[in-house]
Amino acid sequence: MKDVRVVSRKASKANYNERSLIVHDDPKAIGSEAFRTLRTNLQFTSPDQELKSILITSVGPGDGKSTVSANLAVAWAQSGSRTVLVGCDLRKPVVHHIFSVSNAPGLTGHLTGQASLEEAIKPSKIQGLDIIPAGPVPPNPAELLQSRAMSTTVARLRELYDIIIFDGAPVIAVTDAAVMASQVDGTVLVIRAHEVPKDVALHAKTLLDQANARLLGVVLNGVRPQDQKNYHYYYYYDESDEAI
Ligand SMILES: Nc1ncnc2c1ncn2[C@@H]1O[C@H](COP(=O)(O)OP(=O)(O)O)[C@@H](O)[C@H]1O
Ligand SMILES: [Mg+2]
């Protein structure tokens, strides 16, 4: 698929609120169009292979995985698909902040047998979109993600939903994302523009290849408007000149 560039005027410190969900809050914004384009590109990326589960990962923390996952999930739900967004960056739970739902019991609570899958699934304010927050941080994230309980959970979600978006961990430093990459139909790599050196991005791709990930494409996040002259960009910023 083609790369999709998400443009912002400036990055902010971690700050999750309604403004993180541009696709819901301002569907006509050019940034929202970028996420719908990403969804369409992914839908057409593999006409012959089923694409029901997608992992969003990146090189490191703060690249925009959770933001991209959440907006992509909203865009998918808006197209009429039964969609679930699963927080599987178990070391850095964030999805519950973006959607203002409780983090507990979450995926961790379900995988450790403290809650049923039904208890872990939270409805969101967006029609057709359910959320499974990551849950309280466990001592053994990689073990949980490669447990039989996790593969059973993924299989059940495939029955319940049309599309599952996994908001993943970073691929460098911990094995969690590689573990998840082998359990999904495809993986999207978010690259933070101007911050991630090319060799580091290539290293991330190597790690994903080693995990037998099916890399669907790259989202270039945080491209500056002044970089636009040589490319066709999807432009993402808001009028108050603040980050999403
Ligand atoms: N394109 C963007 N423009 C402005 N801020 C962004 C953009 N993408 C992400 N952010 C902000 O950067 C911070 C980290 O993003 P997040 O999605 O949590 O990254 P990750 O999941 O990779 O750790 C959050 O405050 C988020 O709102
Ligand atoms: Mg995150």
Side-chain angles (χ1 to χ4, degrees):
M1 73 175 229
K2 282 186 225 150
D3 293 353
V4 171
R5 296 175 167 85
V6 179
V7 180
S8 70
R9 281 194 171 174
K10 65 183 183 187
S12 72
K13 61 183 187 308
N15 174 28
Y16 306 98
N17 52 36
E18 304 279 315
R19 292 164 57 75
S20 302
L21 280 183
I22 188 173
V23 173
H24 176 258
D25 298 338
D26 192 358
K28 291 193 176 143
I30 300 171
S32 302
E33 187 57 32
F35 285 113
R36 288 191 293 271
T37 301
L38 175 60
R39 176 201 67 208
T40 310
N41 285 354
L42 289 168
Q43 282 169 330
F44 287 103
T45 205
S46 59
D48 298 330
Q49 275 176 289
E50 190 176 37
L51 186 63
K52 221 173 173 182
S53 55
I54 300 174
L55 171 70
I56 310 294
T57 186
S58 77
V59 165
D63 290 326
K65 296 178 290 297
S66 299
T67 308
V68 170
S69 305
N71 282 283
L72 180 61
V74 173
W76 229 297
Q78 285 173 342
S79 74
S81 301
R82 289 169 302 164
T83 308
V84 64
L85 172 65
V86 184
C88 67
D89 188 350
L90 301 185
R91 299 166 205 260
K92 200 184 161 205
V94 153
V95 165
H96 64 292
H97 287 310
I98 298 178
F99 288 91
S100 304
V101 297
S102 151
N103 190 30
L107 182 63
T108 299
H110 173 57
L111 296 179
T112 54
Q114 295 166 54
S116 67
L117 183 58
E118 289 70 23
E119 287 167 328
I121 296 174
K122 312 271 182 201
S124 80
K125 64 185 173 188
I126 287 114
Q127 193 183 358
L129 175 62
D130 287 342
I131 312 289
I132 304 182
V137 179
N140 53 347
E143 263 174 57
L144 280 184
L145 292 173
Q146 56 195 330
S147 65
R148 183 173 296 186
M150 184 62 188
S151 47
T152 308
T153 302
V154 173
R156 284 192 62 201
L157 292 175
R158 292 181 75 96
E159 288 168 11
L160 293 170
Y161 294 94
D162 299 319
I163 181 84
I164 312 159
I165 309 282
F166 290 98
D167 171 26
V171 72
I172 293 182
V174 287
T175 59
D176 308 17
V179 166
M180 279 309 299
S182 61
Q183 301 197 42
V184 294
D185 298 332
T187 296
V188 170
L189 185 63
V190 176
I191 299 288
R192 189 91 187 201
H194 309 289
E195 288 182 23
V196 177
K198 192 175 169 189
D199 58 330
V200 177
L202 288 173
H203 180 53
K205 183 180 180 300
T206 304
L207 292 174
L208 289 171
D209 288 343
Q210 285 168 356
N212 289 323
R214 187 170 150 232
L215 190 58
L216 301 169
V218 169
V219 170
L220 194 56
N221 186 27
V223 176
R224 291 189 294 249
Q226 60 266 35
D227 302 329
Q228 285 190 99
K229 55 183 184 288
N230 297 322
Y231 303 96
H232 174 60
Y233 280 103
Y234 301 97
Y235 196 7
Y236 183 21
Y237 72 99
D238 73 291
E239 282 166 5
S240 61
D241 196 23
E242 288 175 24
I244 48 171

